[in-house]
Amino acid sequence: MTTKFILDENEIPKKWYNIQADLPTPLDPPMHPQTKKPVQPEDLEPIFPKELIKQEMTRDRYVDIPAEVRDIYTLWRPSPLFRATRLEKLLNTPAKIFYKYEGMSPPGSHKPNTAIAQAYYNMKEGITRIATETGAGQWGSSLAFATQIFDIECKVYMVRGSYDQKPYRKLMMQVWGADCVPSPSPDTNSGRAILAKDPDTPGSLGIAISEAVEDAATRSDTNYSLGSVLNHVCLHQTIIGQEAKKQLDMADAKADIVIGCAGGGSNFAGLCFPFVKDKIDGKADDMEIIAVEPAACPSLTKGLYAYDFGDVAGLTPLLMMYTLGHDFIPPSIHAGGLRYHGMSPLVSRVHADNLISSTAVYQNEVFEAAVMFARAEGIIPAPEAAHAIRVAVNKALECKKTGEEKTILFNNTGHGHFDLTSYESYFSHTLMDYEYPTDLISESLKKLPTVP
Amino acid sequence: MINAGFVVNPYAGMGGAVGLKGTDGCVDEAVARGAVKVSPIKALRFLSNLMDRDIFYFTAAGEMGADILKSAGISRYEVIYPLNFTDRYNNNKTGPEDTKAACRIIAARNADLIIFSGGDGTARDVYEAVGDHIPILGIPAGVKIYSGVFATTPDTAADILKRWESVLFTDAEILDVDEEQYRLGNLDTNLFGIAKIPYIKGLCQSCKQASFGDDREDRIEIGAFIVDIMADDTLYLLGAGSTTKAITERLGIRKTLLGIDAVYQGQLIATDLNEAGILELLRSYKKVRIILSPVGSQGFILGRGNQQISSRVLSLAGVDSLIVVATQAKMQQTPDLYIDTGDPDLNHKFGDTIPVICGYRLAIRAGIIHN
């Protein structure tokens, strides 16, 4: 039986897929944080290159991938699709389990799929410095990798909880020439304000975004780059799902269940949107597409679908999305990349239209699945990816009960080589099963901004 | 065969349901307030789990042991101590000297262990008599259970006996609380000695701890969150402890540290409530939430230190009315929580896990152990 399904380099997709073209309900526009009126392209020009603004707003179904970007993609793409036969055997399930492995990129995750594209478009428009935020460090290291290819300076605001937990990620950024600081930092007004209020805060992605946006907005040589949430980021990641569909064809399989973890939503969008298209087109009515979140930060599962800021300080446009409130600082769970109060507006839209579902899982059960997976398949997954693994295992066990031979596909977004201290916490039984107390909380989202 | 000492303090725990924080020296007052004896009932429950076990009991006469063994239908026992009613302040009632005298004789008979039913005061008396020369095990029946020599429930005490061949022995602290200070709202816990106990993980309590280091920030966050979600149409009953006290501090009102207090629309409307007082409030207020913090490092949500939240109160308010609060440091100490309402059916209605509010909009999912 074939274990890996590998495409040729010339089969790397030539276009990204834009789900905006096919949405049954169009996206609600992002709103200007001050005027509360729809954001215009020129509003975004101080921090984004024009081509990315165009991609953010376009409803064209496909967007060409520049040849230079595809050329760099060949360093790790096409990424392999694995059949997890050893995991299937361990679970004694009739289900067929496939996973797309994005951990073979130089930074070890799916993030360079968009980092390369974003750095490329910034370089084309003469930008010499980019500021960004990072949670677990996967995005920061990916952008550091991408910017050095195009000779762009890079400043990374890394969520302090992860900065302390994952020293090797910041060293990777240093190797690739980026300047990485813990967030909140004393380098920005928003960082200083939060430090004055709570000097021991573990930080959050929302805080780090505020700092990076402020940095970019206050320097003419600097643009901002976001590793998730936004439409153009989800667009760039669709290369994952497009490859996976071709590879499933090679395996003569059709996905019944597609699973991705979801923090800001980009890896989920990347794998799942090409499959969501099949649902929209009526070609896969019974297909289940599941976003998996941490119980500590379940924006899709437990949040409100409403306009909210993308950051803590309220500097970003207001986005229509599932949110736990922009002032919510999630606890320091080990899947740092999933600690975000909101969700990509595109992922939110397809969730609101019931094209996908969501579920939330606890830390201990996630690491239990991660260890199970590593022992069966060899790859030690990142804690974020292990969220998807947990639900894939659950679904496979359901198949064991029912006898159904379903095909399960999940996104293994990266390796966990820099997350071994998290595994250590799991093995020493010191991981807390944090959760968001939804039943008590409905009133505490009253701080959401009102949009006319 | 196990040779076990079996000693019951028949008056232990009587003060709990009537709002007395301990029964030492207060038996008559507890009786006047309508208290009933709970320790013999718990001791009987313990024995009823062991009918088929090969155990020989050394015990004291009457309600200190023999009567309960007889009630359980057990005949394999020897009365080694007659009742002397040594408590001069309470005529015709047994007292600490009876407990000590009985335990000394049992130890002299080379028993394998002494099982006693009572609270911290009883544990102190047993330890004073036998030290660490013989293992001891408490059936929890007192108002205050701060010592580490108790099983979590009568049933788990029996489980330890059932698994006697595989038990380990470990040291456990005998603590006691100054009852006079306790009634004044000061938690003054003293280490009295180190006893030897039979131990199976999960079935024994660890010693309660009065403090868990610097978790003040967590308490402030918990207080802020609970105050933010408080509704004007709901009565809040706040249990003992510094975490629940942080809620009233946020509201700017004063709460008793050790009592059950009632808050409505941000105002303190009753303090230091006993079971009857709570039941009366429940008749007047349709919506009620009970906010409790696990007791010490034992992790008891219900059944220790807040017996006023009785099974009758919980049946009336509903198990869904319970909100548990605790700092993360405390939850590190007690990852599992215990519920012992005295009613196994009610215990099981709480399910296997419960969210514990540990910060602002933050909870930890904790396992519940109940029997």
Side-chain angles (χ1 to χ4, degrees), chain A residues 207-351:
Chain A
I207 294 170
I209 291 172
S210 293
E211 292 206 85
V213 169
E214 182 186 323
D215 183 319
T218 52
R219 285 182 59 151
S220 59
D221 64 341
T222 302
N223 261 356
Y224 170 65
S225 184
L226 187 64
S228 190
V229 181
L230 297 179
N231 302 343
H232 66 267
V233 183
C234 295
L235 174 82
H236 300 154
Q237 293 293 358
T238 57
I239 196 163
I240 303 170
Q242 293 184 80
E243 285 179 3
K245 287 183 82 170
K246 283 187 193 172
Q247 289 160 313
L248 281 178
D249 286 345
M250 287 170 73
D252 200 21
K254 190 171 177 302
D256 297 302
I257 304 169
V258 184
I259 302 165
C261 63
S266 73
N267 99 78
F268 175 82
L271 176 70
C272 297
F273 280 0
F275 292 92
V276 174
K277 182 179 189 311
D278 289 347
K279 287 198 79 164
I280 294 169
D281 292 346
K283 293 179 187 166
D285 291 341
D286 296 331
M287 186 193 292
E288 267 189 275
I289 302 176
I290 306 168
V292 187
E293 304 182 291
C297 192
S299 53
L300 269 181
T301 313
K302 302 283 179 69
L304 284 182
Y305 189 42
Y307 271 107
D308 195 10
F309 296 112
D311 67 328
V312 168
L315 301 175
T316 68
L318 291 156
L319 303 172
M320 184 68 175
M321 61 181 176
Y322 284 89
T323 177
L324 301 172
H326 63 275
D327 60 338
F328 175 62
I329 298 180
S332 285
I333 55 169
H334 288 272
L338 305 182
R339 292 179 68 231
Y340 183 59
H341 69 271
M343 181 54 66
S344 146
L346 283 169
V347 173
S348 296
R349 185 69 261 167
V350 295
H351 188 271

Side-chain angles (χ1 to χ4, degrees), chain A residues 44-55 117-127 130 223-225 232:
Chain A
L44 300 174
E45 284 175 12
I47 59 170
F48 289 117
K50 286 185 178 131
E51 179 57 29
L52 289 180
I53 296 169
K54 193 174 149 198
Q55 290 180 6
Q118 292 191 45
Y120 169 79
Y121 291 119
N122 274 287
M123 176 273 293
K124 292 291 276 184
E125 295 184 26
I127 287 297
I130 294 178
N223 261 356
Y224 170 65
S225 184
H232 66 267

Side-chain angles (χ1 to χ4, degrees), chain A residues 27-247:
Chain A
L27 278 187
D28 294 290
M31 298 292 189
H32 194 285
Q34 271 91 49
T35 65
K36 309 281 171 61
K37 298 275 191 291
V39 165
Q40 300 304 308
E42 52 271 26
D43 295 330
L44 300 174
E45 284 175 12
I47 59 170
F48 289 117
K50 286 185 178 131
E51 179 57 29
L52 289 180
I53 296 169
K54 193 174 149 198
Q55 290 180 6
E56 187 69 16
M57 298 183 168
T58 183
R59 292 198 183 172
D60 292 347
R61 181 166 290 114
Y62 292 100
V63 174
D64 287 338
I65 304 176
E68 297 95 317
V69 171
R70 285 185 76 239
D71 182 51
I72 297 166
Y73 278 170
T74 59
L75 286 171
W76 70 96
R77 302 211 75 85
S79 68
L81 179 81
F82 283 82
R83 170 86 185 265
T85 48
R86 289 158 185 83
L87 181 63
E88 290 168 17
K89 198 173 167 191
L90 179 76
L91 298 171
N92 193 22
T93 176
K96 298 184 190 78
I97 305 175
F98 292 88
Y99 65 93
K100 186 77 168 152
Y101 186 46
E102 293 292 309
M104 297 175 79
S105 72
S109 77
H110 64 291
K111 293 289 188 182
N113 296 334
T114 183
I116 294 294
Q118 292 191 45
Y120 169 79
Y121 291 119
N122 274 287
M123 176 273 293
K124 292 291 276 184
E125 295 184 26
I127 287 297
T128 57
R129 184 175 178 273
I130 294 178
T132 194
E133 75 295 321
T134 191
Q138 290 176 342
W139 168 242
S141 53
S142 297
L143 192 66
F145 161 68
T147 47
Q148 58 93 33
I149 291 175
F150 296 109
D151 202 20
I152 295 171
E153 199 184 324
C154 184
K155 173 78 176 265
V156 181
Y157 295 88
M158 184 171 185
V159 175
R160 189 203 272 176
S162 298
Y163 186 91
D164 294 338
Q165 275 174 10
K166 301 178 182 184
Y168 296 118
R169 280 281 172 197
K170 68 184 176 233
L171 286 168
M172 287 174 80
M173 294 178 226
Q174 196 177 350
V175 168
W176 283 315
D179 176 19
C180 174
V181 296
S183 168
S185 78
D187 300 355
T188 64
N189 287 329
S190 42
R192 284 189 289 273
I194 287 163
L195 284 174
K197 222 163 101 184
D198 183 3
D200 297 323
T201 178
S204 73
L205 216 46
I207 294 170
I209 291 172
S210 293
E211 292 206 85
V213 169
E214 182 186 323
D215 183 319
T218 52
R219 285 182 59 151
S220 59
D221 64 341
T222 302
N223 261 356
Y224 170 65
S225 184
L226 187 64
S228 190
V229 181
L230 297 179
N231 302 343
H232 66 267
V233 183
C234 295
L235 174 82
H236 300 154
Q237 293 293 358
T238 57
I239 196 163
I240 303 170
Q242 293 184 80
E243 285 179 3
K245 287 183 82 170
K246 283 187 193 172
Q247 289 160 313

